Amino acid sequence: MSLQDSTSPAPRTALIVDDLAPARAWLRAALLEAFPEASIAEAGSLAEARTALAAFGQPPDLALIDLGLPDGSGLRLIEALQREGAGTLCVVSTVFDDDAHVFPALRAGAEGYVLKDLPAGELARMLRGILSGQPPLSPSIARRLLRHFQPA
């Protein structure tokens, strides 16, 4: 399920990886609003994410991944899913809105980057945009990307 396609089917499976229970609840609420039929697994660490991936039996269609996890960076999970050619659409969900986090996440293969200050309904709207090829990006991240490529 890549944004490279102009339209994508609704994700059937999703993985939420965040060490904070309230953040997982926020992500779950947004996912269920956007894709009520999706089967959702949750993990609070990279180790739990690996266990959840094994339980799925196949890579999930969508993964919402925090960068700061207790046993490492969510970038490792994004890179692993990309290496495996899993077709998982990876979206970073984090509090970090600086170049030192945004650009490595995109280089690792993230196809979206949302900040945790969004209301669940707004995140759900962004996630539904995936179906028409729109990358889920928080407005401040989109502005950061545009500024990065403007002439000095």
Side-chain angles (χ1 to χ4, degrees), residues 115-132:
L115 299 177
K116 292 181 179 179
D117 63 354
L118 293 171
E122 177 67 12
L123 177 57
R125 184 191 62 74
M126 286 182 180
L127 293 174
R128 277 191 301 272
I130 291 169
L131 301 179
S132 59

Side-chain angles (χ1 to χ4, degrees), residues 3 89-91 106 110-114 125-139 142 145:
L3 286 175
L89 189 140
C90 296
V91 176
L106 297 176
E111 294 188 65
Y113 198 105
V114 296
R125 184 191 62 74
M126 286 182 180
L127 293 174
R128 277 191 301 272
I130 291 169
L131 301 179
S132 59
Q134 298 173 10
L137 293 170
S138 286
L145 291 172

Side-chain angles (χ1 to χ4, degrees), residues 20 54 88-89 92 96:
L20 301 174
T88 301
L89 189 140
V92 170
F96 300 115

Side-chain angles (χ1 to χ4, degrees), residues 65-129:
I65 303 169
D66 188 16
L67 295 178
L69 298 167
D71 55 350
S73 172
L75 290 177
R76 304 294 80 85
L77 180 58
I78 295 168
E79 290 167 344
L81 287 167
Q82 298 307 309
R83 257 193 324 273
E84 294 168 11
T88 301
L89 189 140
C90 296
V91 176
V92 170
S93 119
T94 187
V95 297
F96 300 115
D97 68 349
D98 56 85
D99 290 358
H101 290 90
V102 172
F103 292 104
L106 297 176
R107 276 196 277 314
E111 294 188 65
Y113 198 105
V114 296
L115 299 177
K116 292 181 179 179
D117 63 354
L118 293 171
E122 177 67 12
L123 177 57
R125 184 191 62 74
M126 286 182 180
L127 293 174
R128 277 191 301 272

